[in-house]
């Protein structure tokens, strides 16, 4: 098993909306953490050899028939356990105490009084604000447990059994609303569980390089499909560090990329990092197949399918390829329900625009980033020497401009959109607001509207600009671009892109809208 597990923390997920946040908070302290399903057996956890276990919150009551299953023998393990909210109820129930459904619903802010100086609250003031969210409470404490904090209305907010290294809070230390949450988690991780802060980009790279070398053997060749985005570029760079030229990065230009995109990507990976990267211009094939197609779903299907065909052809030409490297991230694995090291292997996200590689392509998968969150990928990329421009690029959909032209795709429409989008993005960068935006892009709406240019009436296309802020792409708000900058963008596009005479700005949030238009 990877060595970082030995220093890490296992989180058992009982269904809280904050579980992923617990993992992030622990990693921010340079300690590896992994989320496993609540029913993971203790043997599996022992095999991972963690320094501590955290039991997450969850919506159930410990007495309900539908309460999530768990293996009771985890409580026999001789490592520290921290229960949060529902996790507190589980500990109380297991050690012989009682929980009752309270008539006081505890949701939102509460002030707690720290009753007894526990290692968990080391360095905290006597009262502090926390975030509560559960209606159940302790009615009888198990033997040999102490109350270490109470809420303002006398409900038990924190308990410990020091000799067993068992701790629990009724509130959520992992959310920002809890004032001293970071300190509480830090006390648990360092003072109580004696974790070492070894989860760093540098250590991660050293470990992955060893792992890849072992997997690829002395002569294995690995192919990476590079899209120009952060994840696939970091994969290509880490593969190169591990096995040099036996790692072959392939960029397929489907003709639907942003201006100079493929060129810039090859440039930054080949020239700056010395990667073995090859560019294949397949744009003609793609554009021929997309002729006259207006339906966005059809476009996506054609592109996904053609991507596979082109990729197969290239792989055959290169010959003797054994492995395919992909930029699957930890979030992809969590979202597809593959918590835990045993299950995650079965859940594989298809490459961002390889809609699942063909069955007859006998390539084994290497997914070096599957334990990382997006911001951790960026940090690893930085450590590997990737340029800031590449690392901070906004996400771009696999089908590219195909889903940003709201009609059939022609070379002329692609050229118009490419120019307009380039002007838009460049001004955002010049004005210093690009990095505040999650995603900014232009959409071409081939609806002719009347305009005036000089003395002539024009009859040309409409372009829509979109810019959103988001933490994770799940929800998004439209970004308030200052008027002065909007007007600069609009003027420049209308004056320098022939074929566009009107610019509109999209002010829809998600939900109800989506980020993309198609």
């Amino acid at each position: 098993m990877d060595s970082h597990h030995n220093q890490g923390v296992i989180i058992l997920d009982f269904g809280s909306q904050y579980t992923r946040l617990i993992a992030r908070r622990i990693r921010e302290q340079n300690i590896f953490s992994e989320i496993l399903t609540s029913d993971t057996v203790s043997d599996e956890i022992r095999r991972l050899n963690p320094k501590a276990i955290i039991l997450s919150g969850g919506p159930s009551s410990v007495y309900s028939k539908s309460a999530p299953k768990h293996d009771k023998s985890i409580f026999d393990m001789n490592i520290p356990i921290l229960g949060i909210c529902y996790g507190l109820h589980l500990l109380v129930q297991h050690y012989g105490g009682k929980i009752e459904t309270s008539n006081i619903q505890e949701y939102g802010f509460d002030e707690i009084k720290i009753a007894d100086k526990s290692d968990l609250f080391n360095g905290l003031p006597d009262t502090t604000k926390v975030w509560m969210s559960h209606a159940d409470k302790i009615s009888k404490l198990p033997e040999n447990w102490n109350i270490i904090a109470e809420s303002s209305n006398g409900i038990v907010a924190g308990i410990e059994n020091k000799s067993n290294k068992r701790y629990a809070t009724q509130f959520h230390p992992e959310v920002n609303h809890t004032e001293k949450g970071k300190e509480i988690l830090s006390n648990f991780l360092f003072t109580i569980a004696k974790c070492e802060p070894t989860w760093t980009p540098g250590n991660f790279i050293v470990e992955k390089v060893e792992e890849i070398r072992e997997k690829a053997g002395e002569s294995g060749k690995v192919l990476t499909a590079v899209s120009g985005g952060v994840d696939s570029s970091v994969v290509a760079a880490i593969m190169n560090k591990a096995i040099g030229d036996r790692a072959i990065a392939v960029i397929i230009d489907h003709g639907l990329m942003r201006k100079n995109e493929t060129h810039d990507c090859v440039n930054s990976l080949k020239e700056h990092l010395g990667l073995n990267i090859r560019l294949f211009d397949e744009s003609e094939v793609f554009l021929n197949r997309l002729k006259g197609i207006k339906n966005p779903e059809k476009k996506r299907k054609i592109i996904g399918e053609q991507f596979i065909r082109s990729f197969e052809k290239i792989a055959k030409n290169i010959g003797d390829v054994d492995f395919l490297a992909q930029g699957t991230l930890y979030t992809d694995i969590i979202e597809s329900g593959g918590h835990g090291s045993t299950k995650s292997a079965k859940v594989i996200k298809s490459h961002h625009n390889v809609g699942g590689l063909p069955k007859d392509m006998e390539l084994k998968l290497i997914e070096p980033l599957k334990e990382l969150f997006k911001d951790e990928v960026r940090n690893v990329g930085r450590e590997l020497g990737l340029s800031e421009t590449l690392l901070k690029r906004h996400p771009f959909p696999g089908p590219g401009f195909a889903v940003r032209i709201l009609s059939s795709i022609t070379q002329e429409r692609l050229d118009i959109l490419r120019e307009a989008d380039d002007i838009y993005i460049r001004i955002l960068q010049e004005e210093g607001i690009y990095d505040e935006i999650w995603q900014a892009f232009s959409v071409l709406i081939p609806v002719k509207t009347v305009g005036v240019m000089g003395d002539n009436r024009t009859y040309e296309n409409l372009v829509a600009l979109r810019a959103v802020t988001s933490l994770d792409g799940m929800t998004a708000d439209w970004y308030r671009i200052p008027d002065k900058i909007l007007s600069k963008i609009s003027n420049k596009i209308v004056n320098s892109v022939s074929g566009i005479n009107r610019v509109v700005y999209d002010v829809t949030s998600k939900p109800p809208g989506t980020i993309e238009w198609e």
Side-chain angles (χ1 to χ4, degrees):
M1 205 61 217
D2 308 345
S3 60
H4 50 245
H5 286 92
N6 306 343
Q7 274 301 330
V9 174
I10 294 291
I11 300 158
L12 293 182
D13 182 13
F14 288 92
S16 164
Q17 56 179 336
Y18 302 131
T19 303
R20 195 186 292 187
L21 207 51
I22 305 172
R24 304 219 35 149
R25 292 288 171 261
I26 296 172
R27 289 171 175 219
E28 282 161 12
Q29 314 246 12
N30 298 110
I31 294 163
F32 180 68
S33 65
E34 183 173 16
I35 300 169
L36 300 181
T37 49
S38 63
D39 57 0
T40 306
V41 293
S42 61
D43 288 350
E44 163 77 359
I45 296 174
R46 280 196 177 86
R47 194 172 64 73
L48 295 172
N49 196 18
K51 297 286 265 191
I53 294 172
I54 293 182
L55 311 172
S56 85
S60 309
S61 158
V62 284
Y63 299 123
S64 101
K65 291 228 182 329
S66 58
K69 302 271 177 286
H70 67 283
D71 176 0
K72 294 190 174 46
S73 61
I74 52 174
F75 296 113
D76 304 335
M77 293 176 71
N78 189 22
I79 55 174
I81 296 180
L82 170 65
I84 294 174
C85 192
Y86 183 81
L88 170 137
H89 307 154
L90 275 183
L91 283 163
V92 169
Q93 185 194 38
H94 179 80
Y95 287 104
K98 282 204 172 71
I99 296 292
E100 66 177 36
T101 301
S102 149
N103 48 9
I104 303 170
Q105 294 267 347
E106 294 259 336
Y107 288 105
F109 280 115
D110 199 346
E111 190 157 78
I112 60 162
K113 267 204 304 292
I114 290 171
D116 189 5
K117 275 296 179 201
S118 157
D119 287 341
L120 192 62
F121 298 144
N122 196 9
L124 259 67
D126 294 337
T127 62
T128 179
K129 279 204 171 55
V130 299
W131 187 255
M132 291 276 190
S133 78
H134 217 288
D136 293 0
K137 62 173 187 183
I138 300 173
S139 58
K140 176 173 164 274
L141 212 62
E143 265 176 57
N144 307 325
W145 282 69
N146 297 320
I147 294 175
I148 53 176
E150 290 191 70
S151 74
S152 57
N153 51 14
I155 285 176
V156 176
I159 54 173
E160 72 172 11
N161 176 331
K162 196 171 176 171
S163 55
N164 269 351
K165 299 199 279 277
R166 300 289 180 259
Y167 297 81
T169 62
Q170 173 67 54
F171 58 88
H172 288 273
E174 72 275 24
V175 302
N176 279 332
H177 302 310
T178 296
E179 274 178 347
K180 297 287 180 187
K182 189 178 172 186
E183 289 79 350
I184 294 169
L185 283 174
S186 187
N187 284 336
F188 178 71
L189 297 168
F190 296 111
T191 312
I192 295 166
K194 308 276 187 278
C195 292
E196 308 253 338
T198 55
W199 176 249
T200 61
N203 282 351
F204 173 82
I205 293 165
V206 168
E207 211 173 279
K208 277 297 153 206
V209 162
E210 259 174 56
E211 216 176 273
I212 292 163
R213 283 180 186 155
E214 204 174 299
K215 197 163 180 180
E218 290 300 304
S219 58
K221 278 201 221 163
V222 183
L223 209 55
T224 311
V226 176
S227 63
V230 180
D231 307 336
S232 62
S233 302
V234 171
V235 169
I238 210 162
M239 295 309 303
N240 178 66
K241 193 175 176 72
I243 56 171
D245 277 354
R246 288 194 284 133
I248 304 146
V250 164
I251 294 191
I252 294 176
D253 183 353
H254 50 24
L256 308 161
M257 304 281 222
R258 290 177 276 205
K259 192 172 178 181
N260 300 333
E261 181 158 32
T262 42
H263 175 267
D264 290 350
C265 186
V266 169
N267 204 18
S268 67
L269 296 179
K270 196 182 206 152
E271 307 306 316
H272 298 296
L273 295 174
L275 262 61
N276 177 7
I277 184 161
R278 308 187 194 175
L279 172 61
F280 295 88
D281 186 352
E282 295 276 297
S283 52
E284 212 174 302
V285 194
F286 278 89
L287 297 186
N288 275 333
R289 290 199 55 189
L290 287 165
K291 260 201 185 93
I293 306 287
K294 292 184 175 172
N295 179 310
E297 266 319 295
K298 269 201 185 126
K299 288 181 195 169
R300 284 176 201 270
K301 269 209 177 66
I302 290 170
I303 293 163
E305 206 255 335
Q306 184 51 47
F307 197 94
I308 293 165
R309 297 296 149 248
S310 296
F311 197 75
E312 272 182 305
K313 184 179 78 183
I314 291 161
K316 282 199 183 79
N317 288 345
I318 291 171
D320 299 330
V321 175
D322 314 278
F323 296 94
L324 174 71
Q326 286 198 149
T328 311
L329 302 194
Y330 195 41
T331 27
D332 304 319
I333 288 173
I334 299 176
E335 274 158 16
S336 45
H339 290 346
S341 45
T342 41
K343 301 198 181 111
S344 63
K346 293 183 201 141
V347 184
I348 291 156
K349 160 194 138 177
S350 52
H351 179 274
H352 78 121
N353 52 11
V354 176
L357 284 158
K359 305 285 171 274
D360 52 356
M361 208 167 166
E362 294 294 307
L363 291 178
K364 295 191 273 300
L365 273 184
I366 294 184
E367 299 173 297
L369 309 181
K370 69 170 182 212
E371 293 155 322
L372 302 185
F373 287 106
K374 189 78 168 188
D375 52 332
E376 294 176 311
V377 174
R378 288 202 173 94
N379 293 337
V380 166
R382 236 168 237 124
E383 188 86 11
L384 287 162
L386 268 66
S387 71
E388 282 301 307
T389 4
L390 201 150
L391 291 173
K392 288 187 169 160
R393 286 191 44 192
H394 293 176
F396 189 61
F401 282 150
V403 290
R404 292 178 179 171
I405 292 174
L406 302 194
S407 182
S408 55
I409 293 154
T410 63
Q411 193 58 60
E412 185 197 9
R413 283 172 178 168
L414 279 166
D415 292 341
I416 290 174
L417 183 55
R418 207 171 266 130
E419 281 309 308
D421 195 64
D422 186 56
I423 289 168
Y424 176 33
I425 299 299
R426 268 223 302 262
I427 293 176
L428 294 179
Q429 286 166 335
E430 284 160 15
E431 296 287 342
I433 58 177
Y434 179 83
D435 290 343
E436 292 174 18
I437 298 168
W438 163 270
Q439 206 174 8
F441 57 88
S442 320
V443 179
L444 184 69
I445 307 160
V447 171
K448 303 282 186 180
T449 71
V450 175
V452 181
M453 287 253 179
D455 296 332
N456 300 317
R457 284 164 78 84
T458 58
Y459 206 51
E460 288 174 336
N461 299 281
L462 165 72
V463 76
L465 307 178
R466 181 90 163 121
V468 297
T469 53
S470 174
L471 289 169
D472 47 18
M474 298 296 192
T475 57
D477 189 18
W478 61 280
Y479 179 79
R480 276 63 174 168
I481 296 180
D483 301 355
K484 221 166 76 206
I485 300 176
L486 261 181
S487 122
K488 184 176 172 181
I489 295 164
S490 167
N491 288 336
K492 181 121 199 232
I493 289 176
V494 173
N495 289 324
S496 48
V497 184
S498 72
I500 293 177
N501 67 352
R502 194 175 291 266
V503 176
V504 298
Y505 189 54
D506 180 352
V507 295
T508 322
S509 294
K510 169 185 178 177
T514 50
I515 294 180
E516 295 288 343
W517 276 40
E518 289 210 332

